DNA sequence: GCCGTTTTCGGCCCGACTGTTTTCAGTCG
């Protein structure tokens, strides 16, 4: 029996190994694509029927066979056979810039290189330069690459990447040759972490922009620099790509450079069916001249779109697709049918449920948090804290809890045109019992139930534990369902599908947590929740007044999950919200 | 390996940059 992750990983690795084996490129892509598509699912793959699997684009008889094999034996013959010929450890070599599958395989076949260590020894011994296609320069670059292969594999948190991007854009705008500059890539798509920064510029003289960019003080090393494109390694230990195009290609380049790769591949296939071809310079008519250069095409008046993204999508018979949706998870089909969601926006949010004051582990007072919430332009706020068991965060005793509730009531009386409520992030104890007695929970305006300890429980235990909490009628919202810390801690094991269904049944909301290193739910789970009709709440989990700005992160997850205004309980006014909280159990 | 409003066979996204080459393969996004 295999987990979704194991199936997804194995298919991806088979694809990579096949690539080293010089297999049919389209066969390789089929594995890549199957792996990618399956990673968008929340249901257990091994529980799905053959017909359900067949209905997934990119999943055919071959992949179904592999899934069946993995369900029965935990692995596939294909993988085991490939592994004998090409050691899996060779995949590590692909993390080095400039090393791809072909060269990695050559290193293995000719020099018996099986690991990064082997590679280092061979490069230091000057053995690489003798290989066909290698030279002194490449050998040198590989040695340099070895030193930051580790850092190159790391992804930056979305929030940190945004801050860094702002600084870079400000610098680039100082270049006189630049007309316009804008972020693209996974940052623009709002992915929870960002592997590299992508920046798009319009200019007439690309070379001038490239020269200016590569000399910025933030740049540690230039990895590549041409007429229209540069790749640098920043001092912040992240790669940054700059692409320069003329203004009439801005939309096409932005579309292309925003990705995702998977979205673009499907979009281009769609274009081909219509008799067009897309590249970063525009949408062009094909008509039997696919070998024409871009300049020839422009000259012959074959460009039919390029200036704006809207124009690009429209030329392909599609509505403009918000960047957050561009992951090849059904957005192109939805755009075709004009059924794209009208995504929720930051301005639709009227308040926050989850944050902390200096009564527990926050840094600001209750009063300061309320004031800051008002400054956010919200209509109401629930101020929360940790419950008693979370000793490390000075969790509140029941007595202290009731005192603070009285304080909140006073504050509420004092504020005009703004409502203040008491929420609490209450621990779900190891056995699923809540960290306060029912009569204490009853006094809290909104109870957020979260797992904080004993995170290593097996899936069944964890599922039962969280289910027990959800079945407690006092629990209004389930807090960060995953428990992950990006780059630091894996999510805990839980049957998410079962939890979503129970939330639907009990009309319990799920939290989208805006802390940059948490960001749970996962976007795909939140999307599934929406489709099941589970209520959702965006929160900041702020531990200071400044962190209320993390609402932007939470809304980004919501948008990646296809959520609309109506899907979030934060978009209600205070009165409707209190009605909802009071009556939600009766609405079954 | 997958797929079909031209197809159950014959297609399958597209271009920039580097280093090794003397016309291009490999890598990358």
């Amino acid at each position: 029996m295999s987990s979704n992750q194991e199936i997804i990983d194995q298919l991806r690795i088979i694809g990579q190994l096949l690539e080293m084996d010089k297999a049919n490129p389209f066969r390789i892509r089929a594995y890549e694509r199957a792996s990618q598509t399956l990673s968008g699912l929340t249901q257990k793959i091994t529980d799905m029927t053959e017909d359900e699997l067949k209905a997934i684009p990119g999943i055919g008889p071959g992949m179904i066979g592999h899934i069946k094999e993995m369900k029965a034996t935990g692995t596939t013959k294909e993988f085991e056979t490939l592994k004998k010929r090409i050691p899996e450890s060779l995949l590590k070599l692909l993390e080095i810039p400039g090393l791809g599958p072909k060269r990695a395989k050559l290193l293995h076949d000719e020099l018996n290189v099986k690991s990064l260590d082997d590679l280092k020894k061979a490069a230091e011994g000057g053995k690489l330069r003798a290989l066909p296609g290698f030279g002194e320069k490449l050998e040198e670059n590989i040695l340099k690459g070895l030193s930051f292969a580790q850092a190159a594999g790391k992804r930056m948190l979305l929030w940190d990447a945004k801050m860094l991007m702002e600084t870079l854009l400000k610098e680039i705008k100082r270049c006189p040759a630049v007309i316009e500059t804008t972020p693209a890539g996974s940052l623009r798509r709002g992915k929870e972490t960002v592997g590299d920064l992508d920046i798009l510029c319009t200019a007439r003289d690309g070379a001038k922009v490239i020269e200016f960019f590569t000399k910025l003080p933030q740049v540690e090393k230039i990895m590549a620099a041409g007429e229209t494109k540069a790749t640098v390694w920043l001092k912040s230990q992240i790669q940054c790509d700059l692409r320069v195009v003329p203004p009439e290609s801005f939309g096409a380049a932005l579309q292309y450079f925003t990705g995702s790769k998977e979205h673009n591949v499907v979009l281009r296939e769609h274009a081909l069916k219509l008799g067009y071809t897309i590249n970063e310079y525009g949408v062009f008519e094909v008509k039997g001249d696919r070998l024409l250069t871009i300049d020839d095409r422009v000259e012959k008046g074959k460009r039919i779109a390029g200036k704006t993204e809207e124009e690009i999508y429209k030329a392909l018979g599609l509505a403009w697709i918000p960047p957050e949706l561009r992951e090849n998870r059904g957005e192109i089909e939805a755009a075709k049918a004009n059924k794209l969601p009208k995504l929720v926006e930051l301005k639709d949010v009227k308040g926050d449920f989850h944050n902390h004051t200096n009564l527990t582990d926050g840094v600001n007072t209750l009063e300061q948090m309320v004031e800051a919430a008002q400054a956010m332009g919200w209509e109401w706020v629930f101020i929360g804290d940790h419950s008693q068991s979370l000793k490390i965060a000075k969790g509140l005793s029941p007595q202290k809890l009731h005192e603070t509730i009285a304080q909140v009531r006073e504050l509420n009386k004092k504020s005009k045109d703004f409502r203040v409520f008491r929420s609490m992030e209450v621990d779900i104890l190891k056995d699923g019992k809540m960290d306060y007695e029912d009569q204490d929970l009853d006094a809290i305006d909104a109870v957020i139930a979260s797992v904080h300890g004993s995170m290593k429980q097996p899936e069944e235990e964890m599922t039962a534990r969280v289910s027990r909490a959800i079945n407690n009628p006092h629990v209004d919202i389930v807090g960060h369902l995953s428990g992950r810390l990006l780059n630091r801690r894996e999510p805990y094991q839980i049957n998410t599908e079962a939890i979503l269904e129970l939330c639907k049944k009990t009309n319990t909301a799920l939290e989208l947590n805006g802390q940059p290193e948490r960001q749970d739910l996962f976007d795909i789970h939140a999307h599934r929740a929406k489709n099941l009709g589970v209520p959702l709440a965006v929160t900041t989990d702020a531990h200071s007044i400044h962190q209320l700005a993390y609402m932007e992160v939470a809304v980004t997850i919501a948008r990646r999950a296809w959520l609309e205004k109506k899907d979030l309980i934060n978009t209600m006014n205070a009165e409707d919200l209190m009605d909802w909280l009071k009556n939600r159990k009766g609405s079954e």
Side-chain angles (χ1 to χ4, degrees):
Chain A
M1 181 64 75
S2 300
S3 71
N4 282 16
Q5 199 56 52
E6 285 164 340
I7 294 171
I8 291 158
D9 288 343
Q10 179 154 138
L11 293 181
R12 193 195 64 245
I13 292 170
I14 291 176
Q16 289 175 314
L17 293 178
L18 282 171
E19 204 173 355
M20 290 200 214
D21 214 23
K22 298 198 179 83
N24 174 353
F26 301 107
R27 202 174 147 226
I28 295 164
R29 220 179 81 198
Y31 278 95
E32 257 174 40
R33 201 180 237 188
S35 170
Q36 204 270 334
T37 309
L38 292 176
S39 71
L41 295 178
T42 57
Q43 302 97 309
K44 229 176 151 66
I45 296 168
T46 45
D47 285 348
M48 294 174 78
T49 66
E50 205 168 318
D51 282 342
E52 283 171 329
L53 288 170
K54 215 185 216 158
I56 302 170
I59 304 297
M63 297 300 164
I64 292 175
H66 287 327
I67 291 169
K68 276 189 189 162
E69 255 187 293
M70 286 202 71
K71 184 175 176 175
T73 68
T75 183
T76 61
K77 280 203 198 86
E78 178 84 55
F79 177 61
E80 297 301 322
T81 316
L82 272 170
K83 238 177 21 179
K84 274 182 206 145
R85 230 184 1 246
I86 309 158
E88 213 185 328
S89 58
L90 218 51
L91 295 175
K92 275 272 165 211
L93 267 56
L94 304 183
E95 288 169 20
I96 295 171
L99 269 192
K102 301 254 165 48
R103 287 174 183 154
K105 180 68 172 8
L106 192 72
L107 286 168
H108 172 254
D109 292 350
E110 298 296 323
L111 300 175
N112 199 27
V113 168
K114 287 184 179 132
S115 64
L116 289 179
D117 264 352
D118 293 347
L119 177 66
K120 196 170 178 210
K121 277 181 207 137
E124 281 169 350
K127 288 185 180 154
L128 266 46
R129 61 186 72 178
L131 295 175
F134 282 73
E136 271 184 57
K137 190 100 191 226
L138 196 54
E139 188 175 79
E140 197 182 312
N141 281 343
I142 286 171
L143 267 174
K144 276 189 203 155
L146 271 163
S147 63
F148 64 78
Q150 203 113 38
K154 266 214 155 176
R155 297 176 65 89
M156 191 177 260
L157 297 178
L158 178 64
W159 187 262
D160 299 338
K162 273 192 171 178
M163 300 292 125
L164 182 56
M165 176 65 86
E166 268 180 36
T167 318
L168 288 170
L169 290 183
K170 231 180 256 170
E171 292 270 7
I172 293 169
K173 278 178 189 155
R174 288 171 41 199
C175 173
V178 168
I179 301 170
E180 204 173 343
T181 180
T182 180
S186 49
L187 184 132
R188 181 163 182 247
R189 300 201 310 279
K191 259 191 89 89
E192 54 266 69
T193 58
V194 173
D196 61 3
L197 300 178
D198 296 311
I199 302 174
L200 178 67
C201 264
T202 52
R204 288 290 166 205
D205 190 346
K208 276 212 180 97
V209 181
I210 298 293
E211 199 198 337
F212 185 91
F213 171 68
T214 52
K215 284 182 179 157
L216 287 180
Q218 285 87 352
V219 173
E220 181 172 311
K221 175 176 152 25
I222 301 168
M223 299 167 86
E227 294 279 303
T228 68
K229 192 179 151 181
T231 298
V232 299
W233 183 254
L234 297 176
K235 286 176 184 156
S236 314
Q237 300 304 296
I238 189 167
Q239 184 179 311
C240 179
D241 294 343
L242 178 79
R243 186 67 197 265
V244 190
V245 297
E248 55 272 21
S249 293
F250 178 74
L254 183 58
Q255 194 290 317
Y256 154 80
F257 217 27
T258 297
S260 66
K261 197 177 159 194
E262 293 78 13
H263 172 89
N264 285 356
V265 168
V266 177
L267 197 70
R268 287 168 186 200
E269 284 170 355
H270 171 71
L272 273 186
K273 279 184 210 150
L274 299 175
Y276 302 129
T277 181
I278 317 178
N279 54 41
E280 53 266 54
Y281 300 101
V283 178
F284 298 86
E285 279 178 45
V286 179
K287 289 203 185 134
D289 55 7
R290 296 192 54 189
L291 295 178
L292 280 185
T293 66
I294 289 156
D295 287 343
D296 284 345
R297 281 183 179 147
V298 171
E299 203 144 302
K300 290 188 177 172
K302 287 180 178 292
R303 171 154 58 196
I304 61 164
K307 214 169 164 52
T308 66
E309 272 194 340
E310 284 81 358
E311 198 179 287
I312 303 288
Y313 284 101
K314 197 176 167 198
L316 304 172
L318 303 173
W320 178 79
I321 301 173
E324 294 92 335
L325 302 185
R326 300 182 196 170
E327 299 291 347
N328 189 28
R329 290 180 187 155
E331 71 279 7
I332 291 173
E333 293 76 5
K336 234 182 273 182
N338 215 5
K339 284 188 177 155
L340 284 169
K342 188 181 177 322
L343 296 183
V344 64
E345 293 176 44
L346 188 56
K347 66 174 169 55
D348 297 327
V349 173
K350 296 193 158 93
D352 182 25
F353 290 101
H354 182 178
N355 44 62
H356 302 272
T357 74
N358 64 357
L359 290 166
T360 56
D361 62 347
V363 300
N364 292 103
T365 64
L366 196 53
E367 289 80 3
Q368 286 168 335
M369 290 300 280
V370 170
E371 208 174 291
Q374 250 174 311
M376 291 290 290
W378 294 336
E379 296 179 14
W380 48 261
V381 72
F382 286 67
I383 302 288
D385 270 303
H386 286 290
S387 62
Q388 54 186 336
S389 286
L390 210 63
K391 300 273 191 269
I392 193 164
K394 300 188 295 175
L396 302 183
S397 67
Q399 190 198 335
K400 189 84 185 155
L401 166 69
H402 288 285
E403 286 171 26
T404 63
I405 291 175
Q407 273 175 273
V408 168
R409 300 279 177 261
E410 278 305 307
L411 262 178
N412 185 48
K413 269 189 218 160
K414 273 193 259 169
S415 39
K416 278 186 188 150
D417 305 324
F418 190 81
R419 302 290 303 277
V420 187
F421 304 104
R422 186 60 164 156
S423 63
M424 282 298 284
E425 187 184 23
V426 183
D427 267 40
I428 303 173
L429 302 178
K430 204 175 167 188
D431 59 357
K433 208 174 154 302
M434 295 299 291
D435 195 19
Y436 290 126
E437 296 301 327
D438 281 351
Q439 68 268 22
D440 298 323
L441 294 175
D442 199 34
I444 303 168
D445 296 318
V447 173
I448 302 163
S450 299
V451 167
H452 277 122
S454 304
M455 291 195 166
K456 297 238 150 104
Q457 284 176 327
E459 180 178 316
E460 271 178 36
E461 255 174 61
M462 187 59 93
T463 306
R465 173 182 177 187
V466 176
S467 297
R468 186 174 169 195
I470 295 171
N471 278 319
N472 182 324
H474 293 102
V475 170
D476 302 299
I477 302 172
V478 180
H480 39 82
L481 185 75
S482 96
R484 72 168 166 189
L485 290 174
L486 289 161
N487 290 336
R488 288 207 284 143
R489 185 172 72 205
E490 290 297 305
Y492 51 69
Q493 298 296 310
I494 192 161
N495 182 342
T496 309
E497 186 74 10
I499 295 295
L500 296 184
E501 277 164 18
L502 185 60
C503 283
K504 168 63 189 161
K505 198 176 141 215
T506 57
N507 208 20
T508 307
L510 279 168
E511 174 195 50
L512 303 188
N513 187 302
Q515 278 285 326
E517 68 167 2
R518 293 186 178 271
Q519 301 188 54
D520 29 35
L521 298 178
F522 286 44
D523 50 9
I524 55 171
H525 293 148
H527 185 197
R528 176 76 177 155
K530 170 199 164 95
N531 288 340
L532 288 171
V534 177
L536 292 146
V538 280
T539 76
T540 66
D541 198 356
H543 285 65
S544 74
I545 54 174
H546 304 295
Q547 293 188 353
L548 291 176
Y550 290 161
M551 187 56 87
E552 186 187 326
V553 180
V555 170
T556 301
I557 314 170
R559 291 173 61 86
R560 286 180 56 81
W562 297 52
L563 302 194
E564 302 179 85
K565 194 175 167 183
K566 64 175 168 54
D567 299 317
L568 289 178
I569 59 175
N570 307 61
T571 59
M572 286 189 253
N573 63 35
E575 205 174 316
D576 290 347
L577 182 58
M578 290 316 279
D579 279 350
W580 183 83
L581 282 167
K582 206 159 72 190
N583 299 322
R584 63 182 185 86
K585 292 290 173 187
S587 65
E588 275 174 50

